[in-house]
mmCIF file of all heavy atoms in Angstrom:
data_model
loop_
_atom_site.group_PDB
_atom_site.id
_atom_site.type_symbol
_atom_site.label_atom_id
_atom_site.label_comp_id
_atom_site.label_asym_id
_atom_site.label_seq_id
_atom_site.Cartn_x
_atom_site.Cartn_y
_atom_site.Cartn_z
ATOM 1 N N ALA A 40 94.064 93.070 136.166
ATOM 2 C CA ALA A 40 95.234 93.853 136.546
ATOM 3 C C ALA A 40 94.947 94.563 137.856
ATOM 4 O O ALA A 40 94.804 95.767 137.921
ATOM 5 C CB ALA A 40 95.555 94.856 135.450
ATOM 6 N N ASN A 41 94.832 93.791 138.918
ATOM 7 C CA ASN A 41 94.420 94.338 140.196
ATOM 8 C C ASN A 41 95.603 94.348 141.158
ATOM 9 O O ASN A 41 96.246 93.328 141.363
ATOM 10 C CB ASN A 41 93.308 93.449 140.756
ATOM 11 C CG ASN A 41 92.572 94.144 141.844
ATOM 12 O OD1 ASN A 41 93.122 95.023 142.503
ATOM 13 N ND2 ASN A 41 91.333 93.760 142.042
ATOM 14 N N TYR A 42 95.866 95.531 141.687
ATOM 15 C CA TYR A 42 97.010 95.614 142.602
ATOM 16 C C TYR A 42 96.608 95.460 144.048
ATOM 17 O O TYR A 42 97.446 95.412 144.929
ATOM 18 C CB TYR A 42 97.706 96.973 142.456
ATOM 19 C CG TYR A 42 98.563 97.051 141.236
ATOM 20 C CD1 TYR A 42 99.188 98.240 140.881
ATOM 21 C CD2 TYR A 42 98.748 95.932 140.438
ATOM 22 C CE1 TYR A 42 99.960 98.317 139.748
ATOM 23 C CE2 TYR A 42 99.512 96.004 139.308
ATOM 24 C CZ TYR A 42 100.118 97.198 138.962
ATOM 25 O OH TYR A 42 100.885 97.267 137.852
ATOM 26 N N GLU A 43 95.319 95.446 144.302
ATOM 27 C CA GLU A 43 94.902 95.273 145.676
ATOM 28 C C GLU A 43 95.294 93.868 146.096
ATOM 29 O O GLU A 43 95.107 92.921 145.352
ATOM 30 C CB GLU A 43 93.392 95.388 145.753
ATOM 31 C CG GLU A 43 92.943 96.704 146.249
ATOM 32 C CD GLU A 43 91.437 96.694 146.350
ATOM 33 O OE1 GLU A 43 90.783 96.349 145.367
ATOM 34 O OE2 GLU A 43 90.941 97.000 147.406
ATOM 35 N N MET A 44 95.805 93.751 147.321
ATOM 36 C CA MET A 44 96.241 92.442 147.757
ATOM 37 C C MET A 44 95.227 91.900 148.747
ATOM 38 O O MET A 44 94.902 92.543 149.728
ATOM 39 C CB MET A 44 97.592 92.543 148.460
ATOM 40 C CG MET A 44 98.686 93.053 147.570
ATOM 41 S SD MET A 44 99.246 91.803 146.426
ATOM 42 C CE MET A 44 99.622 90.512 147.566
ATOM 43 N N LYS A 45 94.762 90.740 148.420
ATOM 44 C CA LYS A 45 93.908 90.040 149.372
ATOM 45 C C LYS A 45 94.444 88.634 149.433
ATOM 46 O O LYS A 45 95.117 88.187 148.513
ATOM 47 C CB LYS A 45 92.455 90.019 148.880
ATOM 48 C CG LYS A 45 91.725 91.317 149.140
ATOM 49 C CD LYS A 45 90.353 91.295 148.533
ATOM 50 C CE LYS A 45 89.780 92.702 148.538
ATOM 51 N NZ LYS A 45 88.655 92.836 147.638
ATOM 52 N N ASN A 46 94.113 87.925 150.466
ATOM 53 C CA ASN A 46 94.486 86.520 150.552
ATOM 54 C C ASN A 46 95.987 86.290 150.403
ATOM 55 O O ASN A 46 96.419 85.456 149.626
ATOM 56 C CB ASN A 46 93.764 85.692 149.489
ATOM 57 C CG ASN A 46 92.284 85.952 149.503
ATOM 58 O OD1 ASN A 46 91.730 86.288 150.560
ATOM 59 N ND2 ASN A 46 91.648 85.821 148.368
ATOM 60 N N ILE A 47 96.759 87.057 151.135
ATOM 61 C CA ILE A 47 98.200 86.818 151.145
ATOM 62 C C ILE A 47 98.427 85.636 152.101
ATOM 63 O O ILE A 47 97.965 85.673 153.239
ATOM 64 C CB ILE A 47 98.954 88.049 151.675
ATOM 65 C CG1 ILE A 47 98.590 89.293 150.850
ATOM 66 C CG2 ILE A 47 100.445 87.802 151.707
ATOM 67 C CD1 ILE A 47 99.006 90.600 151.487
ATOM 68 N N SER A 48 99.109 84.605 151.616
ATOM 69 C CA SER A 48 99.329 83.454 152.513
ATOM 70 C C SER A 48 100.475 83.770 153.459
ATOM 71 O O SER A 48 101.534 84.217 153.036
ATOM 72 C CB SER A 48 99.686 82.200 151.738
ATOM 73 O OG SER A 48 99.045 82.202 150.524
ATOM 74 N N ILE A 49 100.243 83.494 154.706
ATOM 75 C CA ILE A 49 101.269 83.805 155.690
ATOM 76 C C ILE A 49 101.572 82.557 156.519
ATOM 77 O O ILE A 49 100.665 81.775 156.841
ATOM 78 C CB ILE A 49 100.805 84.986 156.588
ATOM 79 C CG1 ILE A 49 101.917 85.437 157.519
ATOM 80 C CG2 ILE A 49 99.540 84.643 157.372
ATOM 81 C CD1 ILE A 49 101.623 86.762 158.201
ATOM 82 N N SER A 50 102.846 82.344 156.766
ATOM 83 C CA SER A 50 103.247 81.287 157.710
ATOM 84 C C SER A 50 103.760 81.975 158.964
ATOM 85 O O SER A 50 104.565 82.905 158.877
ATOM 86 C CB SER A 50 104.363 80.437 157.108
ATOM 87 O OG SER A 50 103.821 79.529 156.189
ATOM 88 N N ILE A 51 103.240 81.538 160.082
ATOM 89 C CA ILE A 51 103.618 82.218 161.328
ATOM 90 C C ILE A 51 104.424 81.274 162.221
ATOM 91 O O ILE A 51 104.042 80.112 162.434
ATOM 92 C CB ILE A 51 102.360 82.721 162.066
ATOM 93 C CG1 ILE A 51 101.625 83.741 161.181
ATOM 94 C CG2 ILE A 51 102.735 83.337 163.415
ATOM 95 C CD1 ILE A 51 100.332 84.253 161.731
ATOM 96 N N VAL A 52 105.556 81.792 162.644
ATOM 97 C CA VAL A 52 106.384 81.028 163.583
ATOM 98 C C VAL A 52 106.265 81.727 164.939
ATOM 99 O O VAL A 52 106.800 82.811 165.113
ATOM 100 C CB VAL A 52 107.865 81.016 163.148
ATOM 101 C CG1 VAL A 52 108.647 80.011 163.964
ATOM 102 C CG2 VAL A 52 107.978 80.721 161.659
ATOM 103 N N ASP A 53 105.502 81.127 165.819
ATOM 104 C CA ASP A 53 105.294 81.758 167.118
ATOM 105 C C ASP A 53 106.109 81.006 168.166
ATOM 106 O O ASP A 53 105.743 79.904 168.610
ATOM 107 C CB ASP A 53 103.795 81.741 167.457
ATOM 108 C CG ASP A 53 103.499 82.468 168.758
ATOM 109 O OD1 ASP A 53 104.462 82.989 169.370
ATOM 110 O OD2 ASP A 53 102.319 82.516 169.142
ATOM 111 N N HIS A 54 107.259 81.589 168.556
ATOM 112 C CA HIS A 54 108.099 80.940 169.569
ATOM 113 C C HIS A 54 107.610 81.270 170.973
ATOM 114 O O HIS A 54 108.048 80.682 171.942
ATOM 115 C CB HIS A 54 109.555 81.410 169.440
ATOM 116 C CG HIS A 54 110.189 80.997 168.151
ATOM 117 N ND1 HIS A 54 110.379 79.686 167.793
ATOM 118 C CD2 HIS A 54 110.669 81.735 167.110
ATOM 119 C CE1 HIS A 54 110.949 79.622 166.611
ATOM 120 N NE2 HIS A 54 111.130 80.867 166.166
ATOM 121 N N ASP A 55 106.729 82.235 171.059
ATOM 122 C CA ASP A 55 106.365 82.763 172.370
ATOM 123 C C ASP A 55 105.116 82.084 172.935
ATOM 124 O O ASP A 55 105.095 81.687 174.095
ATOM 125 C CB ASP A 55 106.132 84.271 172.233
ATOM 126 C CG ASP A 55 106.034 84.959 173.579
ATOM 127 O OD1 ASP A 55 106.855 84.645 174.452
ATOM 128 O OD2 ASP A 55 105.129 85.804 173.742
ATOM 129 N N LYS A 56 104.115 81.966 172.065
ATOM 130 C CA LYS A 56 102.843 81.369 172.459
ATOM 131 C C LYS A 56 102.259 82.007 173.720
ATOM 132 O O LYS A 56 101.733 81.329 174.590
ATOM 133 C CB LYS A 56 102.983 79.843 172.633
ATOM 134 C CG LYS A 56 103.337 79.148 171.322
ATOM 135 C CD LYS A 56 103.165 77.653 171.397
ATOM 136 C CE LYS A 56 103.260 76.968 170.060
ATOM 137 N NZ LYS A 56 104.586 77.094 169.413
ATOM 138 N N SER A 57 102.402 83.284 173.844
ATOM 139 C CA SER A 57 101.856 83.995 174.997
ATOM 140 C C SER A 57 100.502 84.586 174.618
ATOM 141 O O SER A 57 100.080 84.511 173.466
ATOM 142 C CB SER A 57 102.800 85.124 175.401
ATOM 143 O OG SER A 57 102.836 86.081 174.360
ATOM 144 N N GLN A 58 99.885 85.202 175.563
ATOM 145 C CA GLN A 58 98.605 85.846 175.298
ATOM 146 C C GLN A 58 98.772 86.974 174.285
ATOM 147 O O GLN A 58 97.967 87.141 173.370
ATOM 148 C CB GLN A 58 98.082 86.401 176.612
ATOM 149 C CG GLN A 58 96.609 86.679 176.582
ATOM 150 C CD GLN A 58 96.194 87.485 177.786
ATOM 151 O OE1 GLN A 58 96.924 87.563 178.792
ATOM 152 N NE2 GLN A 58 95.032 88.081 177.718
ATOM 153 N N ASP A 59 99.859 87.741 174.447
ATOM 154 C CA ASP A 59 100.093 88.877 173.546
ATOM 155 C C ASP A 59 100.358 88.425 172.126
ATOM 156 O O ASP A 59 99.856 89.016 171.166
ATOM 157 C CB ASP A 59 101.290 89.706 174.053
ATOM 158 C CG ASP A 59 100.906 90.466 175.317
ATOM 159 O OD1 ASP A 59 99.805 91.052 175.319
ATOM 160 O OD2 ASP A 59 101.699 90.453 176.277
ATOM 161 N N SER A 60 101.168 87.355 171.994
ATOM 162 C CA SER A 60 101.470 86.917 170.633
ATOM 163 C C SER A 60 100.216 86.383 169.957
ATOM 164 O O SER A 60 99.997 86.603 168.770
ATOM 165 C CB SER A 60 102.603 85.878 170.631
ATOM 166 O OG SER A 60 102.138 84.637 171.108
ATOM 167 N N ARG A 61 99.385 85.684 170.726
ATOM 168 C CA ARG A 61 98.144 85.165 170.135
ATOM 169 C C ARG A 61 97.216 86.312 169.703
ATOM 170 O O ARG A 61 96.547 86.240 168.692
ATOM 171 C CB ARG A 61 97.437 84.234 171.127
ATOM 172 C CG ARG A 61 97.931 82.791 171.002
ATOM 173 C CD ARG A 61 96.981 81.822 171.660
ATOM 174 N NE ARG A 61 96.824 82.057 173.085
ATOM 175 C CZ ARG A 61 97.660 81.550 173.999
ATOM 176 N NH1 ARG A 61 98.683 80.783 173.641
ATOM 177 N NH2 ARG A 61 97.472 81.797 175.283
ATOM 178 N N ARG A 62 97.260 87.369 170.520
ATOM 179 C CA ARG A 62 96.415 88.504 170.171
ATOM 180 C C ARG A 62 96.871 89.153 168.854
ATOM 181 O O ARG A 62 96.060 89.560 168.016
ATOM 182 C CB ARG A 62 96.490 89.553 171.295
ATOM 183 C CG ARG A 62 95.111 89.943 171.782
ATOM 184 C CD ARG A 62 95.210 90.843 172.959
ATOM 185 N NE ARG A 62 95.266 92.242 172.577
ATOM 186 C CZ ARG A 62 95.600 93.208 173.442
ATOM 187 N NH1 ARG A 62 95.931 92.907 174.680
ATOM 188 N NH2 ARG A 62 95.620 94.460 173.045
ATOM 189 N N LEU A 63 98.182 89.232 168.722
ATOM 190 C CA LEU A 63 98.728 89.810 167.474
ATOM 191 C C LEU A 63 98.306 88.958 166.263
ATOM 192 O O LEU A 63 97.853 89.463 165.235
ATOM 193 C CB LEU A 63 100.252 89.919 167.565
ATOM 194 C CG LEU A 63 100.947 90.396 166.281
ATOM 195 C CD1 LEU A 63 100.497 91.798 165.878
ATOM 196 C CD2 LEU A 63 102.462 90.372 166.425
ATOM 197 N N ILE A 64 98.470 87.615 166.427
ATOM 198 C CA ILE A 64 98.140 86.705 165.319
ATOM 199 C C ILE A 64 96.658 86.811 164.952
ATOM 200 O O ILE A 64 96.295 86.911 163.783
ATOM 201 C CB ILE A 64 98.513 85.247 165.702
ATOM 202 C CG1 ILE A 64 100.040 85.136 165.820
ATOM 203 C CG2 ILE A 64 97.986 84.269 164.658
ATOM 204 C CD1 ILE A 64 100.514 83.844 166.454
#
Side-chain angles (χ1 to χ4, degrees):
Chain A
N41 196 334
Y42 283 175
E43 258 183 308
M44 298 284 306
K45 280 175 193 163
N46 309 331
I47 304 166
S48 327
I49 187 168
S50 281
I51 298 176
V52 191
D53 184 1
H54 295 297
D55 192 44
K56 296 193 169 64
S57 65
Q58 199 192 343
D59 289 315
S60 74
R61 272 197 299 275
R62 233 174 90 193
L63 175 62
I64 293 168

